[in-house]
């Protein structure tokens, strides 16, 4: 072996460092890079894929249409995406890496409130705007942060339209069970929902918080059954929703008229996994692939949903549409700002108002969009919109008991 | 009727927990390998039953033996070709290699099966009947029965058959077993294969009462670990009892302390038991 002396090694390392630095530091000067750390593997990978696919889809569309004009110069958008393995701590480190080492220009968000809650601290600290479509918890938007914007409506109000509908169906004075997970999103849902239920004049007969990720609901379901409630309002994540419904059925738990979920019902995967057991379940979504939602790049939401399905092989839900709105927010804001300066772009984002496949995108003073939730129901394996602030479809109500179904 | 129902739920759930831990306890007791990929084997067994059910239309309970046979073969090869290389080395080595195996199997599963949620959902999956005011879910009852039956079979094999005598002899005194003509390499592989087959059965049943993703393994490994310690490594029935103990404790914790505390109680039991009776279970190994 030839001797490697220390001096030689040091010189080589310095040279390599200089070369690497030149590469890392040199921004292709007509590209704006959006960085994100998303759940590509791990327990949330199933929902994380919406963000990866939709971010890329939107960026490709915008670039294909010529890119973004910023102060007389045209830029292409590019995506730098990292896999946080469904691990919050890793995702925070990756956002730090994105802004400090990878030098991305702006940030897109991760999936889920507990991630967005922690990751937005990085955007705030480094003063790089983050537009995220995966975190709805009000905890994200009540810290006085200036650099985080959100395209999911406030978690506190997820059940507002549902309770509104139940009021019209005569819920006043009835008994309700509230079952929620203990993560950031669901804590926010629970807080808002309790108030909405009180305002609607109901009694919360069972109010249970379970460990996020729990697989066994038999104790809660036994309590709910014993309390003989009229309705169950449930919040958590999709895998837990599947377990809850299946165990509801196998323990023959039948609220007198209603059960509804914050998450899961609008997702194709959910209905496929449950088969007939998914029928009658109520859910909610801030988005449906409606041709009335016009978009500068995609035409309209119905065309978007079709293209998305063809491109990725699965149907988009509101997570995907929300992610599209995040990318488009940057495109619109960059044009408005006429500069790549993070502060100027941040101010431009705060002032945008544009139509997209997702909704009319406009941020409140806290940085969060305001959108109503459409109440949806699974009817014969299909997702049917039922109620917005009035009935838009026929609700199958009351929900028949498990042992009384055809 | 809340308390009796919750106790019933806990017992039925615990039977399945016990079955999950059975394979881990066997491998741990005989091979002295704490198999951190045990949960991943449960997950693979679940997918095997899922695909047998959805693709060939085989009833999931009929698919269990098929999945168990496939998992036996997989476990046998894994031990023969990989784990036998480290079987008598330091505990840390086996922990590292099985941890690595867990990561590899999990991520391969995502590549192969995607991260979609899958349920093994035969028409009777929600079926139940009422006895004395209690609701008994059919699939959970069947899972409990299968757990008992497999534990009994394992006990019989270990206690009465020549194979079982060879397994016990090897775990008690390797040199003496060799003098009597036992080939430890193949015996270890058979033992690990049995452990994997038991994990496969547990996975199929888990997919029927819950749902499958490539990522369910880690939590199931942890649960199996706790139950294997509580139940001890020497007697299959004690492992099932350990599972029932944890299942009931979790159900009662959910009732009296709140459902956020189920894991605190599960792992708290582990700590408590290690403090109170540290030696018997370990000595039994």
């Amino acid at each position: 072996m030839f001797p490697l002396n220390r001096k030689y090694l040091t010189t080589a390392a310095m040279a390599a460092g200089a070369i690497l630095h030149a590469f890392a530091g040199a921004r292709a000067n007509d590209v704006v890079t959006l960085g994100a750390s998303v759940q590509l593997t791990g327990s949330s990978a199933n929902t994380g894929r919406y963000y990866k696919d939709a971010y890329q889809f939107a960026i490709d569309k915008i670039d294909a249409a010529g890119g973004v004009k910023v102060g007389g110069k045209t830029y292409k958008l590019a995506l730098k995406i990292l896999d946080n393995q469904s691990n919050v701590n890793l995702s925070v480190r990756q956002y730090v890496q994105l802004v400090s080492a990878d030098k991305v220009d702006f940030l897109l968000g991760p999936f889920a409130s507990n991630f967005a809650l922690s990751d937005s601290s990085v955007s705030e600290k480094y003063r790089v705007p983050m537009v995220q479509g995966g975190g709805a918890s009000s905890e994200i938007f009540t810290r006085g942060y200036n650099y985080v914007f959100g395209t999911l409506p406030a978690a506190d109000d997820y059940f507002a339209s549902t309770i509104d509908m139940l009021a019209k169906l005569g819920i006043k004075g009835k008994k309700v069970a509230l079952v929620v997970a203990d993560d950031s999103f669901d804590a926010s849902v629970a807080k808002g929902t309790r108030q909405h239920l009180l305002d609607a004049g109901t009694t919360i007969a069972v109010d249970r918080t379970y460990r996020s990720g729990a697989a066994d609901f038999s104790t809660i379901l036994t309590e709910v059954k014993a309390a003989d409630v009229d309705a169950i309002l449930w919040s958590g994540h999709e895998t837990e929703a599947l377990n809850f419904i299946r165990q509801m059925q196998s323990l023959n738990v039948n609220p007198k008229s209603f059960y509804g979920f914050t998450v899961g019902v609008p997702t194709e995967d959910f209905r496929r996994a449950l088969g007939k057991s998914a029928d009658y379940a109520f859910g909610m979504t801030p988005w449906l692939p409606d041709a009335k939602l016009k978009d500068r790049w995609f035409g309209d939401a119905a065309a978007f949903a079709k293209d998305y399905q063809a491109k990725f092989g699965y149907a988009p839900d509101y997570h995907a549409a929300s992610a599209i709105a995040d990318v488009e927010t940057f495109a619109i804001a960059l044009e408005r700002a006429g500069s790549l300066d993070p502060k100027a772009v941040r101010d431009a984002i705060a002032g945008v108002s544009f139509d997209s496949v997702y909704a009319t995108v406009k941020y409140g003073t806290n940085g969060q969009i305001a959108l109503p939730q459409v109440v949806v129901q699974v009817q014969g394996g299909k997702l049917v919109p039922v109620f917005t602030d009035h009935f838009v479809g026929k609700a199958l109500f009351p929900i028949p008991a498990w042992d009384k179904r055809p | 009727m809340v308390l009796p129902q919750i106790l019933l739920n806990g017992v039925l759930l615990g039977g399945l927990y016990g079955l999950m831990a059975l394979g881990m306890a066997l491998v741990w007791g005989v091979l002295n390998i704490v198999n951190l990929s045990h949960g991943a084997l449960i997950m693979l067994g679940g997918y095997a039953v899922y695909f047998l059910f959805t693709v060939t239309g085989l009833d999931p309970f009929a698919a269990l033996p098929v999945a168990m046979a496939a998992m036996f073969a997989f476990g046998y090869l894994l031990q023969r070709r990989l784990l036998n290389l480290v079987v008598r080395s330091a505990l840390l080595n086996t922990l590292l290699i099985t941890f690595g195996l867990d990561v590899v199997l999990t991520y391969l599963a995502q590549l192969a099966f995607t991260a979609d949620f899958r349920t093994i959902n035969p028409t009777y999956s929600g079926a139940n009947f009422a006895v004395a005011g209690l609701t008994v879910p059919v699939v959970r009852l069947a899972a409990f029965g299968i757990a008992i039956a497999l534990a009994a079979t394992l006990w019989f094999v270990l206690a009465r058959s020549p194979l079982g005598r060879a397994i016990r002899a090897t775990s008690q005194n390797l040199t003496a077993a060799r003098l009597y003509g036992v080939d430890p390499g193949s015996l270890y592989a058979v033992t690990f294969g049995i452990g994997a087959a038991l994990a496969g059965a547990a996975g199929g049943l888990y997919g029927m009462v819950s749902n499958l993703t490539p990522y369910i393994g880690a939590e199931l490994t942890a649960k199996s670990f706790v139950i294997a310690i509580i139940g001890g490594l020497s007697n299959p029935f004690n492992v099932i009892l350990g599972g029932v103990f944890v299942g009931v404790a979790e159900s009662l914790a959910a009732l009296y302390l709140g459902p956020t505390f189920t894991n605190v109680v599960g792992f708290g039991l582990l700590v408590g038991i290690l403090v109170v009776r540290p030696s018997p279970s370990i000595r039994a190994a």
Side-chain angles (χ1 to χ4, degrees):
Chain A
M1 292 267 294
F2 76 96
L4 286 176
N5 72 42
R6 180 164 293 169
K7 196 171 161 204
Y8 168 78
L9 273 180
T10 316
T11 320
M14 281 168 64
I19 292 165
L20 282 176
H21 186 260
F23 272 105
R27 186 172 82 177
N29 61 6
D30 50 356
V31 173
V32 172
T33 307
L34 307 179
S37 157
V38 172
Q39 294 88 328
L40 303 183
T41 59
S43 54
S44 299
N46 197 40
T47 313
R49 66 179 170 169
Y50 287 112
Y51 291 90
K52 170 179 169 270
D53 290 344
Y55 288 158
Q56 192 63 57
F57 197 20
I59 285 172
D60 290 348
K61 270 277 181 194
I62 292 167
D63 285 348
V68 185
K69 258 206 182 64
V70 185
K73 189 169 172 196
T74 304
Y75 291 86
K76 296 275 188 197
L77 296 181
L79 182 63
K80 169 86 185 172
I81 206 154
L82 299 174
D83 174 17
N84 65 29
Q85 300 173 19
S86 303
N87 175 342
V88 179
N89 300 323
L90 179 59
S91 100
V92 170
R93 290 203 296 278
Q94 290 183 331
Y95 273 102
V96 173
Q97 179 194 331
L98 285 168
V99 292
S100 58
D102 298 339
K103 308 272 185 218
V104 301
D105 296 286
F106 304 105
L107 295 173
L108 295 163
F111 164 59
S113 292
N114 50 336
F115 284 76
L117 185 65
S118 301
D119 297 339
S120 54
S121 294
V122 178
S123 67
E124 190 69 17
K125 181 180 170 200
Y126 287 89
R127 300 184 185 280
V128 177
M130 169 188 279
V131 181
Q132 58 88 12
S137 172
S138 57
E139 290 179 52
I140 302 165
F141 302 101
T142 49
R143 295 171 297 175
Y145 280 13
N146 290 318
Y147 283 84
V148 60
F149 297 88
T151 48
L152 287 182
D156 300 50
D157 297 327
Y158 266 44
F159 270 122
S161 53
T162 302
I163 293 169
D164 207 13
M165 177 185 85
L166 289 173
K168 288 203 164 58
L169 293 165
I171 192 78
K172 197 174 163 67
K174 298 283 175 68
K175 285 193 290 189
V176 177
L178 181 64
V179 180
V180 293
D182 61 358
D183 61 323
S184 172
F185 166 72
D186 296 295
S188 206
V189 169
K191 189 163 127 278
T193 305
R194 283 189 196 110
Q195 193 56 51
H196 286 300
L197 283 171
L198 286 176
D199 294 346
T202 67
T203 316
I204 305 178
V206 179
D207 186 344
R208 281 300 204 181
T209 304
Y210 63 88
R211 178 178 63 83
S212 185
D216 184 65
F217 289 97
S218 56
T219 298
I220 296 177
L221 283 165
T222 303
E223 290 180 89
V224 168
K225 189 173 185 174
D228 196 24
V229 297
D230 296 275
I232 302 175
L233 302 187
W234 184 96
S235 186
H237 287 275
E238 190 177 333
T239 169
E240 299 143 13
L242 292 171
N243 283 330
F244 190 81
I245 293 199
R246 299 188 85 199
Q247 290 168 25
M248 226 178 130
Q249 186 180 10
S250 68
L251 289 168
N252 200 23
V253 177
N254 297 297
K256 287 199 201 89
S257 56
F258 177 91
Y259 52 86
F261 299 80
T262 46
V263 167
V265 175
T267 308
E268 186 190 11
D269 190 30
F270 173 90
R271 301 192 293 278
R272 202 173 42 219
L274 283 175
K276 274 172 93 77
S277 309
D279 272 349
Y280 301 102
F282 282 88
M284 62 191 65
T285 175
W287 177 80
L288 287 162
D290 188 336
K292 278 187 289 216
L293 292 166
K294 300 295 179 203
D295 186 283
R296 179 172 143 192
W297 291 280
F298 287 93
D300 63 62
F304 157 74
K306 220 171 118 242
D307 294 349
Y308 187 100
Q309 167 92 45
K311 194 171 164 76
F312 300 111
Y314 64 93
D317 72 354
Y318 65 89
H319 297 103
S322 165
I324 298 282
D326 299 344
V327 176
E328 292 187 358
T329 295
F330 276 116
I332 302 275
L334 283 167
E335 290 182 343
R336 272 176 60 109
S339 123
L340 296 182
D341 173 55
K343 174 80 172 67
V345 173
R346 183 256 156 231
D347 292 341
I349 294 170
V352 297
S353 172
F354 65 96
D355 290 332
S356 74
V357 289
Y358 177 60
T360 298
V361 178
K362 209 172 138 191
Y363 300 96
T365 47
N366 65 354
Q368 191 171 23
I369 202 169
L371 282 178
Q373 294 280 356
V374 180
V375 182
V376 292
Q377 186 182 29
V378 182
Q379 301 181 357
K382 295 222 158 34
L383 193 66
V384 179
V386 170
F387 187 87
T388 52
D389 53 357
H390 58 285
F391 281 96
V392 293
K394 190 175 152 39
L396 300 179
F397 185 93
I399 295 176
W402 291 104
D403 46 3
K404 304 267 174 357
R405 296 184 187 186
Chain B
M1 289 310 273
V2 170
L3 189 60
Q5 177 75 51
I6 283 171
L7 288 174
L8 174 70
N9 297 342
V11 169
L12 293 183
L13 177 69
L16 181 55
Y17 281 177
L19 179 56
M20 284 176 188
L22 204 52
M24 186 184 225
L26 175 71
V27 168
W28 190 350
V30 176
L31 278 64
N32 200 24
I33 291 178
V34 180
N35 180 12
L36 296 182
S37 66
H38 187 71
L41 296 177
I42 295 176
M43 175 270 294
L44 288 180
Y47 275 102
V49 173
Y50 173 83
F51 284 111
L52 284 166
F53 170 61
T54 51
V55 177
T56 70
L58 195 61
D59 181 86
F61 283 103
L64 280 183
V66 184
M68 284 178 73
M71 289 306 294
F72 176 85
F74 182 67
Y76 183 92
L77 288 175
L78 212 54
Q79 179 71 34
R80 190 93 226 196
R81 297 271 166 245
L82 182 69
L83 296 176
N84 268 351
L85 302 175
V86 294
V87 72
R88 276 186 300 278
S89 68
L91 184 65
L92 183 66
N93 290 353
T94 58
L95 285 177
L96 272 178
I97 199 163
T98 55
F99 177 75
L101 201 56
D102 178 70
V103 173
V104 170
L105 292 177
T106 302
Y107 283 79
L108 284 179
Q110 185 180 342
L111 277 181
F113 311 135
T114 76
D116 281 4
F117 303 112
R118 319 270 187 165
T119 59
I120 301 166
N121 210 5
T123 46
Y124 52 81
S125 68
N128 55 70
F129 59 89
V131 179
L134 298 177
T135 307
V136 185
V138 171
V139 172
R140 286 196 179 216
L141 182 66
F144 184 79
I146 288 171
I148 301 282
L150 287 174
T153 312
L154 182 63
W155 176 83
F156 185 81
V157 168
L158 285 178
R160 295 279 182 271
S161 75
L163 171 68
R165 275 195 287 277
I167 289 177
R168 282 185 297 136
T170 311
S171 78
Q172 283 165 12
N173 189 332
L174 180 65
T175 316
R178 276 185 135 150
L179 288 173
Y180 280 86
V182 172
D183 166 20
S186 86
L187 192 88
Y188 285 154
V190 168
T191 308
F192 196 88
I194 295 174
L198 291 168
L205 295 170
Y206 186 82
M208 279 186 250
V209 302
S210 184
N211 61 70
L212 302 170
T213 74
Y215 296 97
I216 56 173
E219 181 151 347
L220 300 184
T221 301
K223 195 145 271 171
S224 303
F225 179 80
V226 171
I227 293 163
I229 287 185
I230 290 173
L233 308 174
S234 54
N235 184 337
F237 289 113
N238 286 351
V239 179
I240 302 289
L241 267 181
V244 169
F245 184 58
V246 171
V248 170
E250 283 188 0
S251 297
L252 291 178
L255 179 64
Y256 292 117
L257 300 177
T260 41
F261 290 97
T262 51
N263 267 11
V264 177
V265 169
F267 290 104
L269 277 175
L270 171 66
V271 174
I273 280 173
L274 286 180
V275 169
V276 175
R277 39 158 272 190
S279 49
S281 64
I282 292 165
R283 213 168 29 226

